[in-house]
């Protein structure tokens, strides 16, 4: 019985590590292929500066609001 | 006046067995570690509290109706149960519980009906355990939520780090060997199913550990979950000495090139790629990896933000509460206060140590074959323990070289470790079932 | 054309028994009180709506598959059921339902299988009731959420107020005496279990009342829950006259010293202290007080904010919806339109009145023995009805003395009353089971 | 080495039947439509993913324990099952599964016990399906959430639009006729229950379709749900040509008077009015319309905002995740890859087209009798498909007349269509049960 | 059998459409009566300038502005 | 039977109130001891200006500024 148990443990270890490595190897290969296909066929316009667009007019109004807020904030103290 | 006596007999002080007393202290200890030492509090607070509840003498919160009937000591019920279970009339309570646990499903259903007719109910924690863990749903839902919180970007930018996540799983299998070794040496009495469930502690991933032990060794679930979460919290103590011992200062100073930008399309496709590989090659990892990939797809696809948000918040929180209390139900004294628990605690820390070591060594091996050098400190992150292990890599990297920011690089092996241990879990469940079924 | 006839026979108008019609009006009345008069709307909206659904003739939403099969009147099914239940072939529908309700669990399982095979399903509300209430889970989860919302600070600053919470529970037990008295006098027909379940109305705590009556007197659950929530909403009408009658203007003017600051450590330790006392002395209160303390520990420990937040919001809201609808399922005409309901409503208000009185009197008693005077108006808050009763104390205090802010002081007995009625619930469940088991 | 063989035998590649391979492609196709084409992604992402999971060879995620035992091919189990089911010893797997599915509930319970004793478990998706759909709870909870999101204001301002919602339901019944016609002609083999379940696709309302088919034709549920959600997403393509063909440019230019203000009281009373009419005349629509009205009452009554909020967010999201995965479990190859699916897809689009047409024609009919002209473009919104169909009406209105804002006017028939198809669902469930019961 | 199935389909269609129309007709009548009673007996002070839209919409716009302000504020530091 | 029922009611009342008082008395004692131990051994530095650390405090300041901004924005209309 002991031998069997040990044998079972060894089986699990060998096949287990084998499968883990094989599966992750397949995943490395699959991922590399996938990335290559996507990068080649669907190039992204640009790494896209954080898309929060800020037109100049908005900016001016914003700055006004914030300035007002800060002024008020300072007055209150 | 009989009622006063009844109440006294029903009161805890009278019945408090020393085992339950010790387990209540253990529960308080877990709460202390969680609250004061910040040991994985999201899980250890409910687990510790559930453990205390499970050990309140006379409350029977962790018992089924049939077990409660046995514990009640009512002679008429005991007689009927003994008859149903086919045990000798004078058998001990322990023998009856044993017989009930091993009885075929049909007999257990009859025992439950018998207890119900006699006015006994399932305990609260017993119900929680059945719904949340025995059904498998709670660990899977948490895995889905973890998937919805996981960013595979760093892994996709550097897929080689998947090998680090693979190597670190050797901790799991070394522990399996250790457990069967202890049994073969006659020191412990672990079955092959026990050994596999204990090994998974080395996966450093709570829901995976709970899922595997609920299937392979439910009686050890309490100790395994406590070990898994405690050692995950101890990662900043366990890993650094091993990492320092296996690396030279020069290796620790290696700076890694900045990760490339990963596109949305790659992130959407990746969980589907895993899913397809699982479907082709590893159906037994389908529940765990399937739910994980589903969560991640909800996160990345961008069209189901409200589902992803719920999976990351309300749903995972609700599930965590009941999962924790349910795990606590397996901290009942008769299950936890067993020499096996000591074995589990000892083997668990060995699992973490070996996984850390093999992760680091694999990183060094990769450097032998590749010109893009990998800082071996990120190898240890392959054990999972997200994001603690990655932070440890980063900390040691900064110690060796203040310009060396490894955090994002270490996130790759870190999430790879989650995939790796889910794969290992699937393999072990299949193999153990084939061996014992 | 048979189909047209079938549809007409299936339509409600034909089958609408007067009892169901009355109960639909009762349901609309509850909705009116909840929506227009703001009577505990979070519970009474789902309860009222569920009550209407339960009484839609022919929809059978509150019936099990087996009961639906009986009600269907199919002669073949009736014959098989009568045979299974061992009743005479010609027995009335009422006798069959009675026999089904009293049958052993195994027979009920067979009846369910028989009904399933004949194409009958459990009604929606029946399923809700089984999952939410019969399992005990919904009241316990709500209690956990209430624990997560409770601040024990005022109680910890002035622990003596626990005695007020204890005294107010006399309303519970006086009602038990009243119920058995009515039975002894032949006016009503309450068993000791019924009496205990009715008494708990005096605890002024909805989930406790529902939990106790689901265990001791499920048939009365509808009336008990409606009484409990309605009278909690009526606290501003019920309590003031009693409070004024039992106190002098001088007493009402007593100003109380400001409460001391209570440290985080005390707040974290307190739920654990309760838990340990429960474990030592009162295992039967373990489910209720255990979940309550768990919720409170999650709130105070500071390391599981996301769990505490979910317990106070998404989880308690979801549970409340199903708890309310499930309670509504017990407003089916044949259970609610019973002289017992009148008895329950009458005894319930007596319970509130007596609890209020004994709370106030205990405050006056405390003043006899202590130099730190307590304003007796806060005694009435000991009935629970959080936070309504505390607000009533505050209002009457301000009437007597515009500088007299009692709200925080009244929160002490208010939450003490929650603990007190959970203790009373545990005691009664144990004692009644010992008496009837 | 046996273990390596076992593992290989257990691996998907070996077992991948062509049907499962095709269904995985179908699942990926649904994900593509959901993510790239924005086809009802909240449902089609979980459904598509669940469909892939259900077809992973060897994972058996959509099978019960007993079915898994049959599929396992273990000869001893097969022998016992064959004996239990009373089939011949040498019967095919298909015959055994068939016999199991048709067995009485008691035999199924025995089969489940037998499989459990042999170590088999229910698949994950099988459990999800049972809890979420077979119990009926998930579609009903989603309907409650939809009710809590629905504003009946436009309908109340112009109650005549209810007729448009009624007329559009003709799509449902025409499809029923089409399905029985196909059967009568020998082209397909639909039972009357199948025909009714297929017809409900024309209701253009996902939860209603799932609820009806779970009761009447569970095997077709996958195809019906996919058809319903896909065609709802295709409404902007399906409806416009029909709408243009049936209306003149003058009709499309009709401007409608602005809707009157609807008071809070009317909005609170309306769901109760529906409920009372259901109670009086249509008990079989009570579950669907009851939950819908309950959700709407929570929204409008103003005193249970936190329950309404949870019903619209956490609760509906959680339910959607599990509903979608559960529907996916019915995309198993042996159920979906059937000529019936083609029939369902063909009949479903006919249902949408006819419902659109009858809605438009009814609007034109109303204009014959009334001086307050209705723009017939809003008739098509009566099919439901909230809010897509109303947006289509608005878009075509603007094309014909840039000042013609029909969106709010179209919301009336749009929500009327939800009520209409729930009524139709109730009627069909009753009638089919009377015909087949 | 075919005839029966067809007959069943016709039955469902005729009675089904009948019930749908009857029920919704009752609902039209009920709704009209209800609205008339409510409007007559509980006249609302004022049609309440479309109460939903303006504050909520405003709030949303405000929140957007503020978020932008914060982002900008943080970037500047 | 009546006598028994009454007797049972009395039993429940007497023992019930007894247990409730005893338990809450134990809780009063336990709480007092606990508080004394904690206050003696872990004196809190100070009733603790809301201990939330710097980023949270920053956020609070920011929120105040923004609130002021909103108020002003509304006033301007
Ligand atoms: Na891992
Ligand atoms: Na109370
Ligand atoms: Na519809």
């Amino acid at each position: 019985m002991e031998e069997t148990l040990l044998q079972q443990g060894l089986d699990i270890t060998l096949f287990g590590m084998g499968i883990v490595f094989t599966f992750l190897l397949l995943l490395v290969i699959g991922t590399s292929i996938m990335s290559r296909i996507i990068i080649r066929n669907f190039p992204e316009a640009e790494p896209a500066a954080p898309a929060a667009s800020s037109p100049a007019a908005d900016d001016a109004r914003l700055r006004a609001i914030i300035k007002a807020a800060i002024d008020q904030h300072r007055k209150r103290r | 006046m009989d009622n006063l006596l009844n109440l006294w007999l029903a009161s805890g002080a009278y019945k408090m067995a020393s085992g339950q007393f010790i387990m209540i202290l253990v529960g308080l200890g877990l709460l202390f570690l969680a609250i004061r030492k910040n040991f994985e509090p999201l899980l250890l607070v409910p687990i510790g509290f559930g453990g205390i509840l499970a050990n309140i003498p006379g409350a029977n919160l962790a018992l089924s109706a049939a077990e409660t009937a046995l514990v009640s000591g009512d002679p008429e019920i005991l007689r009927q149960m003994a008859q149903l279970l086919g045990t000798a009339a004078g058998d001990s309570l322990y023998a009856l519980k044993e017989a009930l646990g091993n009885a075929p499903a049909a007999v257990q259903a009859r025992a439950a009906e018998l207890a119900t007719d006699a006015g006994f109910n399932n305990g609260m924690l017993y119900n929680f355990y059945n719904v949340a863990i025995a059904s498998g749903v709670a660990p899977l839902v948490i895995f889905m939520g973890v998937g919805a919180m996981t960013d595979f970007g760093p892994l996709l930018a550097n897929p080689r780090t998947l090998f680090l996540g693979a190597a670190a799983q050797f901790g799991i299998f070394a522990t399996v060997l250790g457990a069967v070794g202890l049994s073969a040496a006659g020191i412990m009495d672990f079955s092959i199913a026990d050994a596999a469930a204990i090994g998974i502690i080395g996966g450093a991933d709570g829901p995976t550990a709970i899922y595997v032990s609920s299937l392979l060794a439910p009686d050890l679930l309490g100790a395994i979950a406590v070990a898994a979460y405690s050692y995950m919290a101890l990662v900043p103590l366990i890993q650094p000495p091993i990492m320092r011992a296996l690396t030279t200062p020069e290796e620790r100073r290696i700076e890694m090139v900045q990760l490339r930008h990963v596109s949305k399309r790659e992130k959407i496709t990746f969980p589907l790629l895993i899913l397809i590989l699982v479907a082709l090659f590893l159906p037994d990892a389908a529940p765990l990896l399937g739910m994980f990939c589903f969560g991640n797809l909800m996160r990345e696809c961008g069209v189901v933000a409200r589902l992803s948000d719920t999976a990351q918040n309300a749903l995972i929180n609700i599930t965590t509460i009941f999962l924790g209390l349910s795990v606590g139900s397996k901290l009942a004294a008769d299950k936890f206060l067993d020499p096996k628990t000591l074995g589990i605690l000892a083997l668990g820390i060995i699992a973490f140590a070996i996984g850390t070591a093999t992760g680091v060594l694999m990183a060094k091996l990769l450097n032998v074959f590749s010109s893009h050098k990998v800082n071996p400190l990120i190898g240890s992150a392959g054990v999972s323990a997200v994001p603690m292990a990655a932070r440890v890599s980063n900390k040691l990297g900064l110690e060796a070289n203040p310009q060396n920011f490894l955090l994002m690089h270490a996130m790759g092996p870190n999430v790879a470790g989650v995939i790796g241990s889910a794969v290992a879990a699937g393999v072990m469940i299949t193999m153990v079932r084939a061996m014992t079924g």
Side-chain angles (χ1 to χ4, degrees), chain A, chain B:
Chain A
M1 182 67 187
E2 271 96 78
E3 205 189 36
T4 315
L5 188 65
L6 271 181
Q7 185 61 47
Q8 289 178 327
L10 273 173
D11 275 12
I12 286 185
T13 302
L14 291 178
F15 301 138
M17 276 313 284
I19 300 278
V20 168
F21 263 104
T22 313
F23 189 85
L24 294 198
L25 173 64
L26 288 171
L27 199 52
V28 170
I29 297 171
T31 305
S32 305
I33 296 173
M34 172 198 84
S35 287
R36 206 165 310 145
I37 293 174
I38 288 177
I39 291 170
R40 185 177 310 154
N41 296 319
F42 307 95
E44 289 204 334
E46 198 171 305
S53 64
S54 44
D58 253 354
D59 240 2
R61 220 182 74 228
L62 244 157
R63 229 169 282 139
I65 291 175
I66 287 161
K67 198 179 169 306
I70 291 169
D71 288 346
Q72 202 168 347
H73 177 73
R74 279 186 182 141
K75 261 179 241 159
R76 276 182 191 170
R77 276 189 296 186
Chain B
M1 287 312 284
D2 274 3
N3 287 311
L4 191 56
L5 187 63
N6 277 334
L7 211 73
W8 165 241
L9 291 175
S11 99
Y14 170 82
K15 289 190 187 165
M16 174 82 81
S18 59
Q20 292 174 314
F21 181 74
I22 293 172
M23 285 312 298
I24 288 180
L25 293 182
V26 169
L28 290 171
L30 290 175
L31 289 176
F32 177 81
L33 291 175
I35 296 173
R36 289 297 304 280
K37 303 294 178 192
N38 227 35
F39 269 38
E40 297 281 332
L42 289 176
L43 264 295
L44 285 187
V45 166
I47 290 177
F49 205 97
I52 298 175
L53 289 178
N55 286 287
I56 294 182
N60 300 328
L61 295 183
L63 302 186
S64 69
E67 290 169 319
T68 307
L70 291 181
V71 168
S72 77
D74 180 300
E76 175 57 18
I77 291 282
L78 285 179
R79 198 189 55 69
Q80 291 178 24
M81 284 283 183
Q83 188 186 341
L84 179 68
L85 297 169
T87 57
D91 264 3
S92 71
L93 177 60
Y94 179 81
L96 279 169
K97 278 173 105 169
E98 200 70 1
L100 178 64
N102 296 328
V107 171
Q108 294 196 4
R110 292 305 87 66
E113 287 168 356
L114 207 157
T116 305
D117 288 340
F120 295 98
N121 297 116
N122 290 334
M124 176 181 80
L125 295 176
Y126 177 87
N127 282 337
F128 289 175
Y129 181 86
N130 265 2
V131 171
I133 297 188
S135 70
V137 71
L140 294 173
V141 168
I142 290 194
F143 225 56
M144 176 175 75
V146 171
M149 291 174 181
T150 296
D151 177 8
F152 278 124
L155 179 63
L156 286 167
N158 191 2
R160 279 188 311 158
T161 54
L162 278 163
F163 289 121
L164 305 178
Q169 308 315 317
F170 186 66
I172 292 177
F173 296 103
T175 310
V176 173
L177 284 182
V180 298
L182 285 180
S183 284
I187 301 172
M188 290 277 163
D189 180 27
F190 294 126
S191 69
I192 186 68
D194 293 348
I198 296 168
I200 205 70
I201 297 174
D205 188 274
T208 304
I210 292 171
Y211 184 76
V212 172
S213 38
S214 75
L215 288 172
L216 298 183
D219 279 356
L220 306 183
L221 191 147
I224 288 173
V226 166
Y229 284 106
S230 302
Y231 294 144
M232 280 162 67
L234 287 173
V235 149
L237 294 182
I238 297 173
Q239 291 196 324
I242 300 167
M243 293 159 74
R244 287 203 189 90
L246 294 176
T247 53
T248 65
E250 288 72 39
E251 286 171 334
R252 295 204 286 278
R253 265 183 232 121
I254 297 176
E255 288 186 32
M256 295 180 68
V257 290
Q258 214 201 316
L259 294 171
R260 74 170 174 89
H261 170 76
V262 173
S263 72
K264 202 76 198 146
R265 260 197 188 75
E266 290 171 81
K267 289 188 177 177
I268 294 175
T269 315
F270 186 65
L272 294 172
L273 176 67
I274 301 179
L275 179 67
I276 288 166
L277 289 177
V278 165
L280 288 173
F281 303 109
L282 205 63
D284 292 288
L288 277 171
L289 281 178
M291 290 302 273
F292 187 70
C293 293
F294 178 53
N296 192 250
L297 181 68
M298 288 200 292
R299 169 202 182 85
E300 300 294 356
C301 73
V303 290
V304 295
R306 58 183 292 164
L307 300 186
S308 169
D309 178 62
T310 294
Q312 291 178 51
N313 291 289
L315 182 52
I316 200 172
N317 291 343
I318 291 171
T319 311
T320 301
I321 289 174
F322 290 106
L323 180 80
L325 291 174
S326 302
V327 169
S329 80
K330 292 290 181 186
L331 296 188
D334 57 342
K335 270 156 199 150
F336 195 87
L337 292 180
D338 189 294
K340 284 185 178 181
T341 297
L342 289 179
I344 289 168
L345 292 173
L347 288 165
I349 198 163
I350 293 173
F352 267 67
I354 294 182
T356 303
T358 50
V360 172
L361 293 175
M362 172 55 83
K364 295 176 72 162
L365 184 65
L366 284 184
N367 282 346
V368 173
F369 295 107
S370 164
S371 55
H372 284 293
K373 293 300 177 202
V374 159
N375 188 318
L377 290 176
I378 71 169
S380 61
V383 297
S384 317
V386 186
M388 196 78 83
R391 285 197 202 133
V392 169
S393 301
N394 191 55
K395 186 157 163 275
L396 267 74
L398 286 174
E399 274 176 24
N401 171 357
Q403 307 308 323
N404 199 4
F405 297 97
L406 295 176
L407 189 63
M408 289 315 287
H409 297 282
M411 288 309 295
N414 215 187
V415 298
V418 177
I419 300 173
S421 42
V423 171
V427 173
M428 293 206 299
I429 291 168
T430 308
M431 293 190 71
V432 168
R433 286 196 166 162
M435 286 165 177
T436 61

